[in-house]
Amino acid sequence: MELEKTRLVAGSLPVCDWCLGRQFTKNIMKAEQIGVLTRGKPYNGPCTFCNNAYIRRKEIAKEAAEALEKYEFSTFSIGIIIGYDKINAEDEIRSKLKLHSGIAIKRALVSLFRKELHVLLKKEVVVWNGEALLIIDLVHQTFHIETRSVGLLVRYVKLQRGIRTRGIKCLLCKGSGCDQCDFTGMSKEVPSVEFEVVRHFKSVYGASKVKITWSGTEDDNSLVLGKGRPIFVHIINPMLRKSGFDRVCLSINKKIQFTEVRVMDSKPPVFDQLKKIVLYRLKLRDNLTDEQIRSLEDYFSDREATAHAGKKRRVYNLGIKQNLNESVTMTAEMDNGLSPWLILGLKEESDIRTVAEIIPRANIIEADYDIIDFKT
């Protein structure tokens, strides 16, 4: 009965010996031999099912291996794109002849090229989630390669004023990336932390894209010091992995530097528990009185305030460091989600008493702040 069905398959459509034999075995390495034996002689014509991919397997695998050469990976997965007409033609024959054994064309080709490329690359082949994913497109005779993302916990310090946290879109490419913006999608004419971070990690990892999960922002004219603000950097489709990390430079320029770069799981961390220490500088018309100093320090001792989106955040303490020559410096420790301007009461409305109300506002000529450290 199986021999008769085999001959019916061979007589219905032009199929190679491998595609003929695998209708009756799950061992793709023996499929060609079974096809020759049941057909009675070797067949060298075109194949309706695999489009001669089996005959060209060595050539295709070699080209695929060459395409993977510029990527750094230790494990890889394989996917196959084959025309629906090939799949439908095989399904129709199998249904018509009531064939229940064997292995379907797409699964067979995946298994075939896993074995071929494992021999060539001498690297571990995994079913899914390899560090590299190779898609062999047999319809267009091309290869598409994607690599597993790399996640980095990064801390940066901002050592120059007048630098934005977030970048603005490049006017030429509208964010898609071009020569003008060093393929970051952001204007390099407007200095930003985001531009510098994306440009650096995109370059050292040879990545197609870099995304950042922020732990908040700071004022353009504020410095960020101490251990630095933590962010999560998502490296998408990197060509390099370990050697990319080895190329990371902590001091990328005089304006933005990294204090920590650590590989971590690709899931962004939660920054809710982060606290920041803010240094305020106020220029006054008159020095603060002792009573005003006590009022400020007492009021902002473990004080809850409403931040953006209605979330409750706390100021843990506020201390006056200097009160001299009509100028005041003070530090405050607060939850990261709380805007330093909200506490001052000069640029943002607040649901609590602000520094400007206690001093009072008429006594303040100007004010600014820096973030001098972060705590967890």
Side-chain angles (χ1 to χ4, degrees):
M1 179 63 71
E2 292 299 306
L3 181 59
E4 181 181 345
K5 287 184 177 182
T6 306
R7 288 170 178 167
L8 285 171
V9 173
S12 300
L13 293 168
V15 292
C16 68
D17 294 327
W18 182 72
C19 282
L20 178 61
R22 66 179 173 75
Q23 307 303 320
F24 307 98
T25 180
K26 292 188 180 296
N27 187 337
I28 63 165
M29 304 313 292
K30 291 184 178 181
E32 182 181 22
Q33 180 184 2
I34 292 171
V36 172
L37 288 174
T38 54
R39 195 196 302 268
K41 60 179 180 179
Y43 172 78
N44 296 314
C47 180
T48 303
F49 295 160
C50 75
N51 198 27
N52 286 15
Y54 178 76
I55 295 172
R56 296 180 56 244
R57 65 192 182 279
K58 300 292 184 185
E59 174 192 347
I60 294 172
K62 182 181 177 183
E63 291 175 356
E66 289 172 353
L68 284 163
E69 280 182 353
K70 58 185 177 181
Y71 292 87
E72 184 179 319
F73 60 95
S74 58
T75 62
F76 68 101
S77 307
I78 292 176
I80 296 288
I81 295 176
I82 190 167
Y84 285 113
D85 58 326
K86 310 298 179 187
I87 297 171
N88 292 337
E90 181 170 282
D91 288 347
E92 186 176 336
I93 288 293
R94 290 180 63 82
S95 176
K96 181 178 178 180
L97 299 179
K98 295 182 172 56
L99 297 173
H100 304 295
S101 59
I103 180 170
I105 178 63
K106 196 166 185 178
R107 185 177 172 190
L109 286 169
V110 168
S111 183
L112 175 71
F113 284 110
R114 278 181 189 156
K115 294 179 185 296
E116 293 291 337
L117 284 162
H118 175 65
V119 172
L120 285 174
L121 299 172
K122 295 179 174 55
K123 293 186 179 182
E124 183 183 358
V125 190
V126 294
V127 176
W128 65 282
N129 203 32
E131 288 183 346
L133 169 63
L134 168 69
I135 304 295
I136 302 175
D137 186 340
L138 296 172
V139 177
H140 301 98
Q141 304 296 311
T142 58
F143 306 103
H144 177 68
I145 299 168
E146 296 178 6
T147 57
R148 191 198 304 165
S149 299
V150 172
L152 300 174
L153 179 64
V154 176
R155 285 181 176 267
Y156 72 85
V157 291
K158 188 173 76 171
L159 304 176
Q160 182 175 305
R161 305 188 190 282
I163 299 174
R164 297 168 56 94
T165 305
R166 309 284 183 92
I168 64 172
K169 282 186 179 181
C170 172
L171 295 176
L172 187 63
C173 67
K174 308 301 182 185
S176 60
C178 64
D179 286 329
Q180 187 69 27
C181 65
D182 293 341
F183 296 95
T184 63
M186 286 167 285
S187 171
K188 61 181 176 182
E189 306 304 321
V190 181
S192 70
V193 174
E194 185 175 15
F195 173 81
E196 300 293 352
V197 170
V198 170
R199 178 170 64 172
H200 184 70
F201 286 107
K202 199 169 184 290
S203 173
V204 298
Y205 275 93
S208 61
K209 198 171 185 180
V210 171
K211 290 184 177 181
I212 301 173
T213 300
W214 299 91
S215 66
T217 61
E218 57 276 340
D219 192 78
D220 293 358
N221 288 317
S222 298
L223 302 181
V224 179
L225 306 171
K227 293 187 290 294
R229 178 182 289 282
I231 56 177
F232 180 77
V233 179
H234 196 68
I235 315 291
I236 299 171
N237 204 29
M239 287 186 179
L240 305 178
R241 305 189 77 80
K242 184 181 182 302
S243 63
F245 181 81
D246 292 341
R247 294 171 62 196
V248 172
C249 180
L250 294 181
S251 182
I252 57 175
N253 57 43
K254 293 181 179 180
K255 300 176 290 185
I256 307 296
Q257 296 182 11
F258 304 135
T259 59
E260 179 184 12
V261 179
R262 175 160 50 95
V263 178
M264 63 178 297
D265 189 272
S266 59
K267 184 179 179 181
V270 176
F271 295 116
D272 281 353
Q273 303 304 313
L274 193 64
K275 299 180 181 67
K276 61 192 173 192
I277 300 174
V278 180
L279 173 68
Y280 291 102
R281 288 178 297 271
L282 283 69
K283 185 177 180 181
L284 305 178
R285 301 182 191 283
D286 298 299
N287 288 333
L288 296 181
T289 65
D290 290 344
E291 183 180 351
Q292 287 172 323
I293 291 174
R294 283 194 300 272
S295 294
L296 283 167
E297 293 182 336
D298 289 347
Y299 183 77
F300 287 104
S301 176
D302 200 26
R303 174 65 57 181
E304 187 176 75
T306 303
H308 296 298
K311 294 182 178 179
K312 296 295 184 181
R313 296 290 186 261
R314 304 193 81 81
V315 181
Y316 296 95
N317 56 72
L318 182 147
I320 305 299
K321 298 301 179 185
Q322 181 178 303
N323 178 34
L324 186 67
N325 298 328
E326 289 81 42
S327 65
V328 168
T329 58
M330 58 187 185
T331 59
E333 181 179 337
M334 65 187 72
D335 285 334
N336 181 53
L338 205 55
S339 167
W341 287 116
L342 186 143
I343 303 305
L344 279 181
L346 297 177
K347 294 185 178 182
E348 298 180 26
E349 293 185 1
S350 175
D351 63 339
I352 61 172
R353 290 184 71 196
T354 64
V355 171
E357 290 177 287
I358 296 173
I359 285 182
R361 175 69 179 86
N363 193 26
I364 302 175
I365 299 173
E366 60 183 50
D368 62 14
Y369 75 86
D370 292 326
I371 299 176
I372 59 175
D373 212 347
F374 287 87
K375 297 171 62 177
T376 51

